[in-house]
């Protein structure tokens, strides 16, 4: 030791090293861990919010189990994804959830368990079509036999047209006009000049 009570070794003054108690080190580690968890959690929020904002720009109605053309709907969904640069599979899967009606959320949840959100989009698409594509005749007969009851003629014509196009997208305008008109009461039908009808919009005027 020197004259000032400092420890010496080989003529060199030794520095005093103080160590934190084990309890304090553990507290510091826990605080650091909590800080990291908070940062990671906050980083996830903008991503979810961004996907929701993007989905709000989609020109697409929510899918319900009552839709008779699941393939048509999912193809439109993919087109909207392309329009807004949603190209990654996991993002498509996440946004799909936002377009599931209450009746379809159980299906989405079960698929999330079976396939996970990291699987390929084409697998999700195939499962979607397999589950919701109608294989019976009920939607077809409903569309063909749907008739005007009461209310707005415009509302009837628009709904009938949608039902028919959901049934078969390749149907031509002339057939659409005939099928929509066939669902009208006779007293209304007799006032329509069939020769001047060139497009379904002529029925709406």
């Amino acid at each position: 030791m020197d004259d000032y009570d400092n420890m010496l070794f080989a003529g060199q003054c030794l520095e005093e090293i103080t160590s934190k108690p084990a309890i304090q080190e553990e507290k510091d580690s826990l605080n650091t861990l909590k800080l990291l968890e908070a940062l990671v959690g906050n980083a996830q929020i903008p991503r979810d919010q961004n996907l929701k904002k993007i989905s709000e720009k989609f020109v697409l109605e929510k899918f319900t189990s009552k839709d008779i053309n699941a393939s048509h709907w999912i193809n439109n969904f993919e087109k909207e994804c392309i329009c807004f640069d949603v190209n990654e599979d996991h993002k498509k899967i996440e946004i799909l959830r936002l377009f599931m009606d209450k009746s379809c959320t159980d299906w989405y949840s079960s698929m999330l368990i079976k396939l996970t959100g990291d699987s390929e989009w084409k697998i999700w698409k195939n499962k979607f079509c397999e589950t919701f594509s109608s294989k019976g005749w009920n939607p077809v007969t409903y569309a063909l036999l749907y008739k005007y009851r009461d209310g707005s003629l415009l509302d009837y014509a628009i709904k009938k047209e949608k039902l028919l196009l959901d049934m078969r997208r390749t149907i031509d305008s002339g057939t659409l006009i005939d099928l929509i008109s066939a669902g009208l009461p006779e007293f209304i039908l007799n006032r329509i000049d069939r020769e001047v009808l060139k497009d379904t919009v002529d029925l709406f005027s």
Side-chain angles (χ1 to χ4, degrees):
M1 297 182 67
D2 61 10
D3 296 337
Y4 299 99
D5 295 330
N6 293 320
M7 296 292 294
L8 297 175
F9 179 76
Q12 298 293 324
C13 182
L14 300 177
E15 293 183 5
E16 182 179 1
I17 299 176
T18 58
S19 59
K20 293 183 179 180
I23 296 176
Q24 184 62 40
E25 288 184 354
E26 186 176 348
K27 286 183 178 179
D28 291 345
S29 297
L30 287 173
N31 289 335
T32 302
L33 181 60
K34 288 180 180 179
L35 179 60
L36 288 172
E37 288 176 348
L39 290 173
V40 171
N42 290 335
Q44 294 294 330
I45 294 174
R47 175 183 167 185
D48 294 340
Q49 288 179 344
N50 287 338
L51 289 177
K52 190 173 188 305
K53 287 181 179 179
I54 292 173
S55 70
E56 290 172 353
K57 298 177 183 178
F58 280 29
V59 184
L60 186 70
E61 294 180 357
K62 282 192 173 185
F63 180 82
T64 73
S65 56
K66 295 180 181 179
D67 287 326
I68 65 174
N69 197 329
S71 298
H72 177 51
W73 187 92
I74 202 69
N75 286 335
N76 285 338
F77 173 80
E78 287 184 314
K79 289 177 183 177
E80 293 298 314
C81 286
I82 293 172
C83 287
F84 295 99
D85 295 323
V86 181
N87 300 314
E88 295 88 345
D89 285 2
H90 70 90
K91 286 186 178 180
K92 291 179 183 178
I93 293 169
E94 288 182 40
I95 288 184
L96 180 65
R97 173 181 60 83
L98 302 174
F99 285 94
M100 293 289 98
D101 189 68
K102 290 181 180 179
S103 60
C104 303
T105 51
D106 287 341
W107 172 85
Y108 183 91
S109 298
S110 64
M111 287 299 103
L112 203 58
I113 295 171
K114 292 178 183 177
L115 303 177
T116 76
D118 295 323
S119 57
E120 295 182 15
W121 165 249
K122 65 179 181 181
I123 298 176
W124 274 78
K125 180 181 178 180
N126 290 338
K127 290 292 183 182
F128 179 88
C129 293
E130 288 173 8
T131 303
F132 295 109
S133 292
S134 177
K135 301 175 180 64
W137 285 95
N138 285 344
V140 176
T141 55
Y142 179 74
L144 292 173
L145 299 178
Y146 183 77
K147 295 183 178 182
Y148 172 79
R149 300 295 181 187
D150 52 31
S152 168
L153 287 171
L154 176 61
D155 290 344
Y156 157 76
I158 291 174
K159 182 172 182 179
K160 176 91 173 187
E161 182 179 34
K162 183 179 185 302
L163 289 171
L164 293 169
L165 289 174
D166 283 342
M167 177 191 73
R168 181 165 299 172
R169 294 187 64 193
T170 56
I171 193 168
D172 61 90
S173 296
T175 305
L176 271 177
I177 292 172
D178 292 342
L179 292 174
I180 294 172
S181 300
L184 294 171
E186 188 174 352
F187 74 94
I188 295 177
L189 192 60
N190 290 336
R191 291 186 295 177
I192 299 175
D193 186 352
R194 188 168 182 268
E195 296 300 321
V196 302
L197 298 177
K198 303 300 180 184
D199 197 278
T200 55
V201 293
D202 297 330
L203 285 168
F204 304 156
S205 57

mmCIF file of all heavy atoms in Angstrom, residues 134-169:
data_model
loop_
_atom_site.group_PDB
_atom_site.id
_atom_site.type_symbol
_atom_site.label_atom_id
_atom_site.label_comp_id
_atom_site.label_asym_id
_atom_site.label_seq_id
_atom_site.Cartn_x
_atom_site.Cartn_y
_atom_site.Cartn_z
ATOM 1 N N SER A 134 -70.525 -23.421 -54.469
ATOM 2 C CA SER A 134 -71.769 -24.186 -54.450
ATOM 3 C C SER A 134 -71.730 -25.272 -55.513
ATOM 4 O O SER A 134 -71.405 -25.026 -56.670
ATOM 5 C CB SER A 134 -72.960 -23.258 -54.705
ATOM 6 O OG SER A 134 -74.155 -23.998 -54.757
ATOM 7 N N LYS A 135 -72.066 -26.489 -55.097
ATOM 8 C CA LYS A 135 -72.050 -27.621 -56.025
ATOM 9 C C LYS A 135 -73.463 -28.112 -56.344
ATOM 10 O O LYS A 135 -73.650 -29.061 -57.091
ATOM 11 C CB LYS A 135 -71.219 -28.760 -55.429
ATOM 12 C CG LYS A 135 -69.775 -28.362 -55.137
ATOM 13 C CD LYS A 135 -69.031 -29.468 -54.430
ATOM 14 C CE LYS A 135 -67.588 -29.070 -54.146
ATOM 15 N NZ LYS A 135 -67.475 -27.942 -53.225
ATOM 16 N N GLY A 136 -74.456 -27.452 -55.767
ATOM 17 C CA GLY A 136 -75.833 -27.876 -55.995
ATOM 18 C C GLY A 136 -76.563 -26.943 -56.950
ATOM 19 O O GLY A 136 -76.003 -26.002 -57.509
ATOM 20 N N TRP A 137 -77.859 -27.198 -57.120
ATOM 21 C CA TRP A 137 -78.677 -26.431 -58.051
ATOM 22 C C TRP A 137 -79.454 -25.306 -57.379
ATOM 23 O O TRP A 137 -80.058 -24.477 -58.067
ATOM 24 C CB TRP A 137 -79.658 -27.369 -58.765
ATOM 25 C CG TRP A 137 -78.993 -28.202 -59.810
ATOM 26 C CD1 TRP A 137 -78.515 -29.468 -59.669
ATOM 27 C CD2 TRP A 137 -78.712 -27.821 -61.159
ATOM 28 N NE1 TRP A 137 -77.953 -29.902 -60.844
ATOM 29 C CE2 TRP A 137 -78.066 -28.916 -61.779
ATOM 30 C CE3 TRP A 137 -78.943 -26.663 -61.907
ATOM 31 C CZ2 TRP A 137 -77.648 -28.891 -63.095
ATOM 32 C CZ3 TRP A 137 -78.534 -26.632 -63.231
ATOM 33 C CH2 TRP A 137 -77.893 -27.731 -63.815
ATOM 34 N N ASN A 138 -79.464 -25.267 -56.061
ATOM 35 C CA ASN A 138 -80.278 -24.266 -55.363
ATOM 36 C C ASN A 138 -79.969 -22.829 -55.775
ATOM 37 O O ASN A 138 -80.887 -22.049 -56.048
ATOM 38 C CB ASN A 138 -80.121 -24.421 -53.842
ATOM 39 C CG ASN A 138 -80.883 -25.624 -53.322
ATOM 40 O OD1 ASN A 138 -81.750 -26.162 -54.004
ATOM 41 N ND2 ASN A 138 -80.559 -26.056 -52.111
ATOM 42 N N PRO A 139 -78.688 -22.430 -55.822
ATOM 43 C CA PRO A 139 -78.397 -21.048 -56.234
ATOM 44 C C PRO A 139 -78.847 -20.751 -57.660
ATOM 45 O O PRO A 139 -79.267 -19.634 -57.972
ATOM 46 C CB PRO A 139 -76.867 -20.955 -56.112
ATOM 47 C CG PRO A 139 -76.490 -22.041 -55.171
ATOM 48 C CD PRO A 139 -77.463 -23.144 -55.428
ATOM 49 N N VAL A 140 -78.764 -21.764 -58.515
ATOM 50 C CA VAL A 140 -79.152 -21.576 -59.917
ATOM 51 C C VAL A 140 -80.659 -21.366 -60.028
ATOM 52 O O VAL A 140 -81.129 -20.421 -60.678
ATOM 53 C CB VAL A 140 -78.712 -22.791 -60.766
ATOM 54 C CG1 VAL A 140 -79.202 -22.638 -62.206
ATOM 55 C CG2 VAL A 140 -77.197 -22.944 -60.733
ATOM 56 N N THR A 141 -81.408 -22.244 -59.388
ATOM 57 C CA THR A 141 -82.866 -22.122 -59.462
ATOM 58 C C THR A 141 -83.349 -20.852 -58.768
ATOM 59 O O THR A 141 -84.311 -20.219 -59.216
ATOM 60 C CB THR A 141 -83.543 -23.350 -58.821
ATOM 61 O OG1 THR A 141 -83.063 -23.514 -57.477
ATOM 62 C CG2 THR A 141 -83.236 -24.606 -59.612
ATOM 63 N N TYR A 142 -82.661 -20.470 -57.692
ATOM 64 C CA TYR A 142 -83.044 -19.238 -56.994
ATOM 65 C C TYR A 142 -82.857 -18.029 -57.901
ATOM 66 O O TYR A 142 -83.726 -17.146 -57.977
ATOM 67 C CB TYR A 142 -82.211 -19.076 -55.721
ATOM 68 C CG TYR A 142 -82.515 -17.808 -54.953
ATOM 69 C CD1 TYR A 142 -83.691 -17.679 -54.220
ATOM 70 C CD2 TYR A 142 -81.622 -16.733 -54.966
ATOM 71 C CE1 TYR A 142 -83.979 -16.514 -53.523
ATOM 72 C CE2 TYR A 142 -81.899 -15.569 -54.270
ATOM 73 C CZ TYR A 142 -83.081 -15.463 -53.547
ATOM 74 O OH TYR A 142 -83.360 -14.298 -52.866
ATOM 75 N N ALA A 143 -81.730 -17.986 -58.613
ATOM 76 C CA ALA A 143 -81.456 -16.860 -59.509
ATOM 77 C C ALA A 143 -82.454 -16.816 -60.664
ATOM 78 O O ALA A 143 -82.966 -15.751 -61.025
ATOM 79 C CB ALA A 143 -80.031 -16.961 -60.047
ATOM 80 N N LEU A 144 -82.736 -17.965 -61.240
ATOM 81 C CA LEU A 144 -83.634 -18.006 -62.396
ATOM 82 C C LEU A 144 -85.084 -17.694 -62.019
ATOM 83 O O LEU A 144 -85.810 -17.047 -62.785
ATOM 84 C CB LEU A 144 -83.562 -19.382 -63.065
ATOM 85 C CG LEU A 144 -82.236 -19.729 -63.758
ATOM 86 C CD1 LEU A 144 -82.248 -21.177 -64.232
ATOM 87 C CD2 LEU A 144 -81.971 -18.791 -64.936
ATOM 88 N N LEU A 145 -85.496 -18.136 -60.846
ATOM 89 C CA LEU A 145 -86.900 -17.984 -60.446
ATOM 90 C C LEU A 145 -87.159 -16.742 -59.598
ATOM 91 O O LEU A 145 -88.302 -16.497 -59.208
ATOM 92 C CB LEU A 145 -87.361 -19.232 -59.673
ATOM 93 C CG LEU A 145 -87.294 -20.558 -60.448
ATOM 94 C CD1 LEU A 145 -87.723 -21.717 -59.565
ATOM 95 C CD2 LEU A 145 -88.160 -20.492 -61.707
ATOM 96 N N TYR A 146 -86.116 -15.976 -59.322
ATOM 97 C CA TYR A 146 -86.287 -14.772 -58.501
ATOM 98 C C TYR A 146 -87.209 -13.792 -59.224
ATOM 99 O O TYR A 146 -86.990 -13.446 -60.386
ATOM 100 C CB TYR A 146 -84.928 -14.127 -58.234
ATOM 101 C CG TYR A 146 -85.001 -12.912 -57.344
ATOM 102 C CD1 TYR A 146 -85.174 -13.037 -55.971
ATOM 103 C CD2 TYR A 146 -84.902 -11.630 -57.881
ATOM 104 C CE1 TYR A 146 -85.244 -11.922 -55.150
ATOM 105 C CE2 TYR A 146 -84.968 -10.510 -57.073
ATOM 106 C CZ TYR A 146 -85.141 -10.660 -55.707
ATOM 107 O OH TYR A 146 -85.219 -9.549 -54.904
ATOM 108 N N LYS A 147 -88.259 -13.344 -58.534
ATOM 109 C CA LYS A 147 -89.263 -12.479 -59.153
ATOM 110 C C LYS A 147 -89.465 -11.194 -58.359
ATOM 111 O O LYS A 147 -89.150 -11.122 -57.175
ATOM 112 C CB LYS A 147 -90.603 -13.214 -59.261
ATOM 113 C CG LYS A 147 -90.585 -14.407 -60.195
ATOM 114 C CD LYS A 147 -91.963 -15.037 -60.299
ATOM 115 C CE LYS A 147 -91.958 -16.215 -61.276
ATOM 116 N NZ LYS A 147 -93.309 -16.806 -61.417
ATOM 117 N N TYR A 148 -90.013 -10.230 -59.057
ATOM 118 C CA TYR A 148 -90.354 -8.955 -58.414
ATOM 119 C C TYR A 148 -91.580 -9.157 -57.526
ATOM 120 O O TYR A 148 -92.580 -9.730 -57.951
ATOM 121 C CB TYR A 148 -90.645 -7.896 -59.481
ATOM 122 C CG TYR A 148 -91.195 -6.605 -58.913
ATOM 123 C CD1 TYR A 148 -90.356 -5.677 -58.325
ATOM 124 C CD2 TYR A 148 -92.568 -6.339 -58.962
ATOM 125 C CE1 TYR A 148 -90.861 -4.494 -57.795
ATOM 126 C CE2 TYR A 148 -93.077 -5.159 -58.439
ATOM 127 C CZ TYR A 148 -92.217 -4.248 -57.850
ATOM 128 O OH TYR A 148 -92.725 -3.085 -57.328
ATOM 129 N N ARG A 149 -91.475 -8.683 -56.278
ATOM 130 C CA ARG A 149 -92.600 -8.787 -55.346
ATOM 131 C C ARG A 149 -93.212 -7.416 -55.090
ATOM 132 O O ARG A 149 -94.390 -7.184 -55.336
ATOM 133 C CB ARG A 149 -92.125 -9.406 -54.024
ATOM 134 C CG ARG A 149 -91.534 -10.802 -54.158
ATOM 135 C CD ARG A 149 -92.543 -11.813 -54.623
ATOM 136 N NE ARG A 149 -91.973 -13.155 -54.717
ATOM 137 C CZ ARG A 149 -92.621 -14.192 -55.229
ATOM 138 N NH1 ARG A 149 -93.854 -14.037 -55.686
ATOM 139 N NH2 ARG A 149 -92.032 -15.375 -55.299
ATOM 140 N N ASP A 150 -92.394 -6.540 -54.576
ATOM 141 C CA ASP A 150 -92.846 -5.177 -54.308
ATOM 142 C C ASP A 150 -91.617 -4.288 -54.169
ATOM 143 O O ASP A 150 -90.486 -4.753 -54.277
ATOM 144 C CB ASP A 150 -93.710 -5.113 -53.034
ATOM 145 C CG ASP A 150 -93.014 -5.755 -51.841
ATOM 146 O OD1 ASP A 150 -91.767 -5.714 -51.777
ATOM 147 O OD2 ASP A 150 -93.707 -6.310 -50.971
ATOM 148 N N GLY A 151 -91.862 -3.001 -53.940
ATOM 149 C CA GLY A 151 -90.750 -2.077 -53.779
ATOM 150 C C GLY A 151 -90.259 -1.518 -55.100
ATOM 151 O O GLY A 151 -90.991 -1.474 -56.096
ATOM 152 N N SER A 152 -89.001 -1.132 -55.115
ATOM 153 C CA SER A 152 -88.415 -0.475 -56.281
ATOM 154 C C SER A 152 -88.116 -1.477 -57.398
ATOM 155 O O SER A 152 -87.502 -2.523 -57.168
ATOM 156 C CB SER A 152 -87.122 0.239 -55.869
ATOM 157 O OG SER A 152 -86.392 0.654 -56.998
ATOM 158 N N LEU A 153 -88.551 -1.140 -58.605
ATOM 159 C CA LEU A 153 -88.231 -1.970 -59.772
ATOM 160 C C LEU A 153 -86.729 -1.962 -60.045
ATOM 161 O O LEU A 153 -86.159 -2.959 -60.492
ATOM 162 C CB LEU A 153 -88.990 -1.460 -61.003
ATOM 163 C CG LEU A 153 -90.497 -1.746 -61.040
ATOM 164 C CD1 LEU A 153 -91.137 -0.987 -62.200
ATOM 165 C CD2 LEU A 153 -90.750 -3.240 -61.188
ATOM 166 N N LEU A 154 -86.104 -0.821 -59.766
ATOM 167 C CA LEU A 154 -84.660 -0.705 -59.976
ATOM 168 C C LEU A 154 -83.910 -1.667 -59.060
ATOM 169 O O LEU A 154 -82.988 -2.365 -59.497
ATOM 170 C CB LEU A 154 -84.212 0.736 -59.718
ATOM 171 C CG LEU A 154 -82.707 1.006 -59.805
ATOM 172 C CD1 LEU A 154 -82.190 0.693 -61.203
ATOM 173 C CD2 LEU A 154 -82.401 2.457 -59.439
ATOM 174 N N ASP A 155 -84.320 -1.711 -57.795
ATOM 175 C CA ASP A 155 -83.667 -2.620 -56.840
ATOM 176 C C ASP A 155 -83.828 -4.072 -57.278
ATOM 177 O O ASP A 155 -82.898 -4.878 -57.172
ATOM 178 C CB ASP A 155 -84.252 -2.434 -55.438
ATOM 179 C CG ASP A 155 -83.865 -1.100 -54.823
ATOM 180 O OD1 ASP A 155 -82.915 -0.473 -55.330
ATOM 181 O OD2 ASP A 155 -84.520 -0.687 -53.840
ATOM 182 N N TYR A 156 -85.029 -4.399 -57.764
ATOM 183 C CA TYR A 156 -85.268 -5.766 -58.241
ATOM 184 C C TYR A 156 -84.343 -6.105 -59.411
ATOM 185 O O TYR A 156 -83.695 -7.159 -59.428
ATOM 186 C CB TYR A 156 -86.726 -5.947 -58.679
ATOM 187 C CG TYR A 156 -86.890 -7.078 -59.665
ATOM 188 C CD1 TYR A 156 -86.861 -8.407 -59.240
ATOM 189 C CD2 TYR A 156 -87.014 -6.822 -61.036
ATOM 190 C CE1 TYR A 156 -86.965 -9.449 -60.154
ATOM 191 C CE2 TYR A 156 -87.119 -7.856 -61.951
ATOM 192 C CZ TYR A 156 -87.091 -9.171 -61.507
ATOM 193 O OH TYR A 156 -87.176 -10.204 -62.419
ATOM 194 N N ALA A 157 -84.292 -5.208 -60.389
ATOM 195 C CA ALA A 157 -83.510 -5.470 -61.598
ATOM 196 C C ALA A 157 -82.024 -5.619 -61.279
ATOM 197 O O ALA A 157 -81.341 -6.499 -61.822
ATOM 198 C CB ALA A 157 -83.723 -4.345 -62.612
ATOM 199 N N ILE A 158 -81.526 -4.767 -60.380
ATOM 200 C CA ILE A 158 -80.106 -4.833 -60.008
ATOM 201 C C ILE A 158 -79.796 -6.146 -59.295
ATOM 202 O O ILE A 158 -78.798 -6.814 -59.580
ATOM 203 C CB ILE A 158 -79.728 -3.625 -59.121
ATOM 204 C CG1 ILE A 158 -79.776 -2.333 -59.943
ATOM 205 C CG2 ILE A 158 -78.336 -3.811 -58.523
ATOM 206 C CD1 ILE A 158 -79.571 -1.073 -59.125
ATOM 207 N N LYS A 159 -80.672 -6.528 -58.360
ATOM 208 C CA LYS A 159 -80.431 -7.767 -57.616
ATOM 209 C C LYS A 159 -80.528 -8.987 -58.520
ATOM 210 O O LYS A 159 -79.705 -9.905 -58.443
ATOM 211 C CB LYS A 159 -81.421 -7.900 -56.460
ATOM 212 C CG LYS A 159 -81.169 -9.153 -55.628
ATOM 213 C CD LYS A 159 -82.001 -9.203 -54.367
ATOM 214 C CE LYS A 159 -81.668 -10.458 -53.561
ATOM 215 N NZ LYS A 159 -82.442 -10.531 -52.301
ATOM 216 N N LYS A 160 -81.524 -8.997 -59.392
ATOM 217 C CA LYS A 160 -81.694 -10.133 -60.309
ATOM 218 C C LYS A 160 -80.479 -10.256 -61.227
ATOM 219 O O LYS A 160 -79.981 -11.366 -61.474
ATOM 220 C CB LYS A 160 -82.960 -9.938 -61.140
ATOM 221 C CG LYS A 160 -83.192 -11.008 -62.203
ATOM 222 C CD LYS A 160 -84.022 -12.153 -61.688
ATOM 223 C CE LYS A 160 -84.392 -13.121 -62.802
ATOM 224 N NZ LYS A 160 -85.336 -14.159 -62.401
ATOM 225 N N GLU A 161 -79.998 -9.133 -61.709
ATOM 226 C CA GLU A 161 -78.825 -9.154 -62.581
ATOM 227 C C GLU A 161 -77.613 -9.715 -61.843
ATOM 228 O O GLU A 161 -76.855 -10.529 -62.388
ATOM 229 C CB GLU A 161 -78.517 -7.753 -63.101
ATOM 230 C CG GLU A 161 -77.329 -7.714 -64.058
ATOM 231 C CD GLU A 161 -77.054 -6.324 -64.594
ATOM 232 O OE1 GLU A 161 -77.267 -5.348 -63.846
ATOM 233 O OE2 GLU A 161 -76.627 -6.206 -65.752
ATOM 234 N N LYS A 162 -77.427 -9.298 -60.596
ATOM 235 C CA LYS A 162 -76.290 -9.795 -59.814
ATOM 236 C C LYS A 162 -76.401 -11.299 -59.577
ATOM 237 O O LYS A 162 -75.415 -12.033 -59.688
ATOM 238 C CB LYS A 162 -76.206 -9.064 -58.473
ATOM 239 C CG LYS A 162 -74.990 -9.477 -57.632
ATOM 240 C CD LYS A 162 -74.929 -8.725 -56.333
ATOM 241 C CE LYS A 162 -73.654 -9.064 -55.563
ATOM 242 N NZ LYS A 162 -73.522 -10.506 -55.260
ATOM 243 N N LEU A 163 -77.602 -11.764 -59.256
ATOM 244 C CA LEU A 163 -77.806 -13.197 -59.038
ATOM 245 C C LEU A 163 -77.469 -13.999 -60.293
ATOM 246 O O LEU A 163 -76.830 -15.054 -60.224
ATOM 247 C CB LEU A 163 -79.254 -13.464 -58.623
ATOM 248 C CG LEU A 163 -79.672 -13.011 -57.224
ATOM 249 C CD1 LEU A 163 -81.184 -13.146 -57.052
ATOM 250 C CD2 LEU A 163 -78.940 -13.814 -56.152
ATOM 251 N N LEU A 164 -77.890 -13.487 -61.426
ATOM 252 C CA LEU A 164 -77.648 -14.190 -62.686
ATOM 253 C C LEU A 164 -76.166 -14.186 -63.061
ATOM 254 O O LEU A 164 -75.634 -15.192 -63.538
ATOM 255 C CB LEU A 164 -78.475 -13.547 -63.807
ATOM 256 C CG LEU A 164 -79.998 -13.714 -63.681
ATOM 257 C CD1 LEU A 164 -80.716 -12.821 -64.685
ATOM 258 C CD2 LEU A 164 -80.404 -15.173 -63.881
ATOM 259 N N LEU A 165 -75.493 -13.065 -62.826
ATOM 260 C CA LEU A 165 -74.065 -12.985 -63.144
ATOM 261 C C LEU A 165 -73.233 -13.819 -62.179
ATOM 262 O O LEU A 165 -72.194 -14.370 -62.567
ATOM 263 C CB LEU A 165 -73.603 -11.526 -63.127
ATOM 264 C CG LEU A 165 -74.108 -10.665 -64.287
ATOM 265 C CD1 LEU A 165 -73.719 -9.211 -64.080
ATOM 266 C CD2 LEU A 165 -73.567 -11.177 -65.621
ATOM 267 N N ASP A 166 -73.675 -13.899 -60.928
ATOM 268 C CA ASP A 166 -72.993 -14.781 -59.978
ATOM 269 C C ASP A 166 -73.147 -16.239 -60.400
ATOM 270 O O ASP A 166 -72.247 -17.057 -60.199
ATOM 271 C CB ASP A 166 -73.561 -14.594 -58.570
ATOM 272 C CG ASP A 166 -73.045 -13.328 -57.904
ATOM 273 O OD1 ASP A 166 -72.023 -12.799 -58.375
ATOM 274 O OD2 ASP A 166 -73.662 -12.876 -56.927
ATOM 275 N N MET A 167 -74.295 -16.538 -60.974
ATOM 276 C CA MET A 167 -74.561 -17.899 -61.439
ATOM 277 C C MET A 167 -73.700 -18.235 -62.651
ATOM 278 O O MET A 167 -73.103 -19.304 -62.740
ATOM 279 C CB MET A 167 -76.045 -18.040 -61.794
ATOM 280 C CG MET A 167 -76.439 -19.392 -62.357
ATOM 281 S SD MET A 167 -78.122 -19.371 -63.035
ATOM 282 C CE MET A 167 -77.877 -18.404 -64.546
ATOM 283 N N ARG A 168 -73.618 -17.274 -63.592
ATOM 284 C CA ARG A 168 -72.832 -17.498 -64.814
ATOM 285 C C ARG A 168 -72.358 -16.157 -65.359
ATOM 286 O O ARG A 168 -73.147 -15.368 -65.877
ATOM 287 C CB ARG A 168 -73.666 -18.235 -65.859
ATOM 288 C CG ARG A 168 -72.907 -18.530 -67.142
ATOM 289 C CD ARG A 168 -73.636 -19.554 -67.978
ATOM 290 N NE ARG A 168 -73.769 -20.825 -67.273
ATOM 291 C CZ ARG A 168 -74.499 -21.845 -67.736
ATOM 292 N NH1 ARG A 168 -75.159 -21.724 -68.862
ATOM 293 N NH2 ARG A 168 -74.561 -22.968 -67.044
ATOM 294 N N ARG A 169 -71.075 -15.930 -65.268
ATOM 295 C CA ARG A 169 -70.518 -14.631 -65.663
ATOM 296 C C ARG A 169 -70.550 -14.411 -67.175
ATOM 297 O O ARG A 169 -70.533 -13.280 -67.649
ATOM 298 C CB ARG A 169 -69.074 -14.519 -65.172
ATOM 299 C CG ARG A 169 -68.925 -14.483 -63.661
ATOM 300 C CD ARG A 169 -67.498 -14.195 -63.275
ATOM 301 N NE ARG A 169 -67.079 -12.881 -63.719
ATOM 302 C CZ ARG A 169 -65.820 -12.460 -63.741
ATOM 303 N NH1 ARG A 169 -64.856 -13.269 -63.365
ATOM 304 N NH2 ARG A 169 -65.521 -11.240 -64.144
#
